[in-house]
Structure formats: structure tokens, C-alpha cells
Amino acid sequence: MRFASLGSGSEGNGLVVECGDTRVLIDCGFSVRDTSARLARLGLAPTDLTAILVTHEHSDHVGGVPAFAARHGIAVWATFGTLAAVADRFEGMERVYGFDGHETFAIGALAITPVPVPHDAREPVQYVIGDGAHHLGVLTDLGVSTAHVEACLTGCDALVLECNHDVDLLEKGSYPRPLKQRIAGRLGHLDNGAAAELLRNIDTSRLVHIVAAHLSRENNTPELARTALCGALGCSGDWIGIADQAQGFDWREL
Ligand SMILES: [Zn+2]
Ligand SMILES: [Zn+2]
């Protein structure tokens, strides 16, 4: 299994997981043309994708999905709640499938385990993806961690983990008060300290990749995210990867 990011942040997200001939794209927040260009950087064509998995209906995640899936005839999977929230955008499209947010299902060679998360969307999930030998946990867009989230992520071999903001930078920054409250709230986004706390609560003994994701440009820096995560893991800062908005990150193997 290997995985790579097309880009990560509030302006668009996309993460590819590959095992043999199976390739799933988790979310697509980019235009049709931009998505193709970002896939090409990873050596992929749109038709190499088996399916698109959607996490929730916010535009940085689902915004590019209907047009890209329709253009290239790619299957789309989302929770029934997410599908209900975006039904009009998928009208008339075939191969759009709902799933139960508490049940593991298979797409080709990959086992997909949805992880329900607290976030201000209809039925948001994140994912743990397995190939029979290894597990990759992808966790962004949640306000707080939960016992269920931690039970799902414990023992993973790789994690892509939201480090959205630094609490002090958000508080002192220029965002309007209601937006600050939304981001910092229980249905908002995970801050660096909360991401570090999550790592302290789970078994990270198998971890060979950790990538900080969905960083706010205004309210965080890669250095602050790295410092928080390596403090929890007891590792050096250069071991912590950063998924950025423009480049995402290159293939990582498990
Ligand atoms: Zn997002
Ligand atoms: Zn969101």
C-alpha cells in the first residue's frame, strides 16, 4: 500500500491510497483540470482511480467531486447523511453509493473503515484504510477527539492527522469572533495541542509515517505543528511530514 496527497487545507483536499490496481481518492476539493494536474504529479491519470471516498459535504472536500467523477466515470462513496446533504449535485449520476458510517466495506483490495467524527456537517466521517497487512488512518476536520476515534486509530502504521491551528495564533489573529469560535469549537477543527494529545492516547508503536494535515495558513505554521507532534511522539521534528495546500506530499509506502 502507498499513499500521497494532492493538497491539504481549507482551499482543497485530496489524498490517494493505492494497493495493487485499486486506487481510492479521499475527497476532491479541486477543479477538474487542477485535479488532473495534481494526479499527474503522482504519475496517475484520472482513469487510474477506482473510486472517490467523500468525508463530508464542505466544499474543500466535496467541491470538485461531482464534476470530476462525472467527467471520468468514477464511482463515488459517501455516508447516507453526506449524500443527503449534496443530493442535488449528484443528480442523474450513476455509481454514487451510500454506506453505513459504522461498517467496514471493501473497495477492490482495500478495506475501508469509516470513522464518525464530531464536525459541523450532516454525517461526517474520516477513514482507516487497510490492505490486510497495514493500516493508514486519515483524520482531519474534527473539533475534538473521541474514545471511538482513538479506538479506530490506535495501532495504525501511518497517520495523516489534522493540525489545523495553534490556539494562541487563532485567538490573537484577525478572524471575526464567530469564525474563531466555530474553528475552536467541538464541531470545528483540531488544534496542534489536541492532535498531540490524541497521539498520547493511542498506540503509536507501529507508526512509520506521520503527516500533519489541514494546516491553517493564518493560524498555524509547520514548525508549531511539528513541535507539538514530536513532543507527543518523542521523535525529531524532521520525521513529521507536512501536507501543504499547494503540493500535498509525495508517495509514502507501507
Ligand atoms: Zn476541511
Ligand atoms: Zn469540514
Side-chain angles (χ1 to χ4, degrees):
M1 178 159 69
R2 62 178 188 161
F3 61 100
S5 168
L6 305 187
S8 176
S10 59
E11 286 159 43
N13 294 275
L15 186 120
V16 187
V17 186
E18 175 188 274
C19 178
D21 289 335
T22 304
R23 287 173 208 90
V24 298
L25 174 61
I26 300 178
D27 290 331
C28 183
F30 307 106
S31 70
V32 172
R33 181 183 295 207
D34 194 13
T35 303
S36 295
R38 287 169 187 259
L39 284 169
R41 280 202 312 242
L42 300 171
L44 297 178
T47 49
D48 291 330
L49 297 176
T50 312
I52 302 175
L53 289 168
V54 178
T55 59
H56 63 298
E57 68 269 29
H58 291 162
S59 61
D60 54 321
H61 299 267
V62 80
V65 175
F68 191 77
R71 172 78 64 89
H72 299 291
I74 302 167
V76 176
W77 292 80
T79 61
F80 292 109
T82 298
L83 284 184
V86 292
D88 52 330
R89 291 191 244 172
F90 289 98
E91 214 167 295
M93 282 174 60
E94 293 170 25
R95 302 179 71 212
V96 176
Y97 306 112
F99 61 79
D100 182 327
H102 289 276
E103 276 186 18
T104 297
F105 59 99
I107 294 179
L110 294 171
I112 314 294
T113 301
V115 182
V117 290
H119 190 53
D120 50 3
R122 177 81 172 263
E123 192 189 353
V125 291
Q126 295 293 318
Y127 294 103
V128 173
I129 299 195
D131 66 354
H134 298 102
H135 290 96
L136 161 67
V138 178
L139 187 75
T140 69
D141 295 72
L142 72 166
V144 292
S145 182
T146 67
H148 183 66
V149 163
E150 291 171 7
C152 291
L153 291 191
T154 198
C156 276
D157 302 272
L159 288 175
V160 175
L161 178 60
E162 172 159 57
C163 289
N164 180 263
H165 59 279
D166 172 83
V167 169
D168 291 333
L169 284 184
L170 178 67
E171 177 58 30
K172 291 176 188 142
S174 64
Y175 282 15
R177 174 61 46 190
L179 181 57
K180 287 181 182 179
Q181 285 169 339
R182 188 224 143 212
I183 292 169
R186 292 185 61 78
L187 298 178
H189 288 278
L190 211 60
D191 71 83
N192 295 338
E197 182 62 26
L198 184 157
L199 289 179
R200 287 190 186 93
N201 291 342
I202 64 172
D203 173 9
T204 55
S205 62
R206 289 172 59 92
L207 208 56
V208 291
H209 296 287
I210 170 90
V211 183
H214 216 299
L215 273 70
S216 165
R217 277 186 184 170
E218 286 235 6
N219 304 311
N220 208 356
T221 67
E223 268 334 291
L224 286 170
R226 276 203 181 94
T227 301
L229 297 192
C230 69
L233 291 170
C235 66
S236 72
D238 55 12
W239 191 61
I240 312 282
I242 301 287
D244 77 356
Q245 184 69 79
Q247 298 293 323
F249 58 83
D250 203 357
W251 290 111
R252 287 174 173 244
E253 305 235 3
L254 280 175

